[in-house]
Amino acid sequence: MIRETRSIQTQLAIVGTGLGGLAAGIFAKYRGIKSAQVGHTGAITYTTGYFDLLGGLLGEQILDPWQGLSSLKKHYPKHPLVRIAKEDIHKALNLFNKELNNMGIGYSEPGNTNLMALLPSGVCKPTISVPLTMLAGVKAKEAKSPTLLIDFVGLQGFSAVEFVANLKKSWPLLTAQRIAFPDMIEGQQVFPEVMARALEVPSTRQKLAETIKPFIGNAKYLGLPSILGINKPDLIHNNMEELLGVKVFEIPSIPPSVPGMRLRELFEQKFVDKNVTLIPQHKVEHIELNDDGAKLFFKDPFGDIEISCKATILASGRFLSGGLKAEQQNIVETLLNIPVTQPTGRDDWYQEKYFDPKGHNINQVGVEIDNNFRPLNTKGEPINRRLFAAGTIIAHQDWVRQRCGAGVSLSTAYQAVKYAAKVLD
Amino acid sequence: MTQKILDFNKLAHELLPKGSGYDSCIACGLCSSGCPAAGFFGMGPQHFIRMAMLGMNQELATTPWVWTCTQCKRCLYICPMNIDVSLLVGAARGAWPDEKKPQGIMRSCEAQSLNSSTSAMGLTSEDFIEITQDVLEEIKAEDHRFNTLQVPFDKKGAYFVVNQNSREPGVEAEEMGPLWKILNYVGANWSYTSKGWAAENFCMFTGSDAAWEKMVTQRVDAMNELGASVWINTECGHSLYALWKGIERFDLKANFQPGNLISYYAQWIREGKLPVNSDWNTMGLKFTLQDPCQLVRKSSGDPAAEDLRFVAKKLVGADNFIDMQPCKSANYCCGGGGGFLQAGMREQRRAYGKRKFDQIAATQASYVLTPCHNCHSQIEDIGEYYSGNYHVVHFWTLICLSLGILGQQERRYLGPELENLGLVPGDINAKT
Ligand SMILES: Cc1cc2nc3c(=O)[nH]c(=O)nc-3n(C[C@H](O)[C@H](O)[C@H](O)COP(=O)(O)OP(=O)(O)OC[C@H]3O[C@@H](n4cnc5c(N)ncnc54)[C@H](O)[C@@H]3O)c2cc1C
Ligand code: SF4
Ligand code: SF4
Ligand code: SF4
């Protein structure tokens, strides 16, 4: 096969296309920095779509995340979020939000307090920003409005009846109905992705609306699992509201779910321009750091690719995404073998009780950084003055328990780009 | 022959790269979510892996699902752990007793082994030469501008060796004309071979490595003999993949490089040798594109996808081009791959194709550009079956349309609005 080795010269290389990496890409673009970005399927693909800033601390729900940050500082002085000025966190969230809106997925503006957003199990979680397709759910729940919740024959992991059962006490006017999604094969499993892509077709939306209408009754709101399209969710959401004559909202379903796919495909299609190269579904195999920057090496089907850059941001995530890897006894960082702060032995990875409010030690592991967001070696010195870290690969945060996944990713990305920009000047 | 029962998990360990064995599956379900064959016979890629892990070898060896997987490798593309299901699907197919394999695929493979032409439609070398000569005469008679057009066979010193899918000489011979005209237009030094000329490869789909290897060897020998530098396989992704992957897999010596015609179109356009434009599209007809997985995801990756778009936009106008979603390397197979079109499982094939149909319908385009032959047939079929409102065309048709050299007979895939557009006046021959 005719193959070519390609060299990409850029200012900033970003390793990872999770929330951290993509946010870094956006912030770099915003600052006029030329960037090249490589990453594969990671945690972002499995998210609910909600952007959490800080929703939990020591087993308590946090309603005002901005105030929560002060308590966080007391208990977790090394937490990456408490090393960043609130003002910068604000900027990071707002800028990311604005860009997503510009590119075509609407998100609610991050406010002063958390929203109580619905989860597929029927519980709510505090979060700072939600996709516009999900916003009405927060309001319906808050106002306890008459609401019909739909699920689908053949869809696994989302049951309207269970959802209603869990919320019946606090939301008596919530009812459930199961329907068959138009044109699906009987007796077969139906995936949210399949329904979402089908709803990109106007005639399918009409058929679905016709199927739902007879059950609406007095309901003012209609909830369904997150299936309102992949590429034009807001348009499809509005169209369904028009067709049904009620407010419509989505509830995230369990993975493989649609909100993460939306983000991934949005970036693949809308993010790239003459200053931004994005190489999706690939992983960097090897990095050589040098005084002037770095060289990154990997292959795609067409041949070898080499990225030369003046600064690098490592946003390769944790275990699920492959930024960190658990070996027999210890945890390692996979690309540069950066020291990982971790419990002394495997026995200390988990607490005895799964729901221990302290959380599990394994969920705090990661690389150490200096004030400029550069990862550190065992002596506590930056590994390279042009290497930065962003996202959940950074130690001392437990995004699972603290519900701070997006908050950590976006604001650390903002900082990493800010400091990278300084070495690029 | 009785059914051979493979140890799938062990085989996965042997065949798949380290770290991407079945035991690294995190059960995230992304593979099945994006697989149009997921659900048939209660199976899907994630099921396949789980069953292999559980040692359900008997079930895996006998499930007809393996004939509905088009081996498009979309599951591999999206999988965070890089797990390839399709390799073992191929192995499972191979272990089926021949008499139980879908007979359509078996017959096509057998036909390919009958004589040195390797045509699945049973066309001989003589047939092929005769048909091309007939078509050539017709073109010359219709339009004197092509009086000197040539269709060379076994021409020593040719730079390109070109294969042709039997479907054209077999059932739509006029469709060969546009390709010849383009090669002529850019002054390409090219040749067919009289042996091993057929581009399709059904033996790969039978799961029998021996049959696949035999087919590839025969072709490679024929092309080695000619001594051309670059082999192109019309616009078809399927044929390209089956040959070059075969060359790699069976470690054959090829003294030519496989190239893809679309990237040559792109190159010729950039060099000014193929001065196409979209001026003809005054009606603003909308076009979308099926990225053949065999050409893009499985062969050349996104650089090939970019070339496809570059050529398409030049031809129809950037504003008239609408990408299907998802696209490029993330594209879904249409359901024509893996021998599905020949496998006789029409209901499943069309259900598979429904995913593609929805993606096409979402673009609201009235034309689908499909370089690959398999995609072409399948997308036409599902368009008809699901009452779609689109036509399916090859690139060569539009290139010739744009250059004003598309003959009357070469428009079978165009809609009525383009039936006569830019046709040379009937009396053009009379005038000279
Ligand atoms: C099931 C689930 C639900 C979640 N729900 C929420 C939620 O509701 N709200 C919220 O705020 N957060 C949520 N999160 C957390 C959120 O997804 C993460 O906090 C966030 O995605 C972390 O971003 P990241 O960029 O640090 O890492 P990741 O998203 O993990 O991305 C890491 C990236 O690095 C890439 N990578 C790894 N190694 C290499 C390499 N060698 N070369 C190139 N690339 C590499 C990976 O392919 C991936 O693209 C959820 C996470 C999970 C798993
Ligand atoms: S995508 Fe990969 S990891 Fe996920 S279920 Fe499929 S094979 Fe397993
Ligand atoms: S190769 Fe294609 S058809 Fe086969 S399991 Fe994977 S995604 Fe499905
Ligand atoms: S038929 Fe087309 S889309 Fe399907 S596998 Fe073949 S090349 Fe890919």
Side-chain angles (χ1 to χ4, degrees), chain B residues 27-45:
Chain B
C28 70
L30 279 176
C31 51
S32 285
S33 169
C35 167
F40 301 151
F41 306 102
M43 288 288 298

Side-chain angles (χ1 to χ4, degrees), chain A residues 2 40-41 193 231 269 281, chain B residues 33 77-79 258 325 332 358:
Chain A
I2 295 176
H40 209 290
T41 301
E193 178 177 357
N231 305 108
Q269 284 145 31
Q281 303 308 110
Chain B
S33 169
Y77 177 79
I78 208 77
C79 171
Q325 301 301 346
Y332 276 40
D358 285 347

Side-chain angles (χ1 to χ4, degrees), chain A residues 159 170 185:
Chain A
S159 159
S170 61
I185 298 176

Side-chain angles (χ1 to χ4, degrees), chain A residues 197 200 231 265 269, chain B residues 288 323-327 332 359 363:
Chain A
R197 294 198 194 281
E200 298 272 340
N231 305 108
E265 292 190 17
Q269 284 145 31
Chain B
T288 188
D323 252 323
M324 235 181 263
Q325 301 301 346
C327 59
Y332 276 40
Q359 292 164 19
T363 69

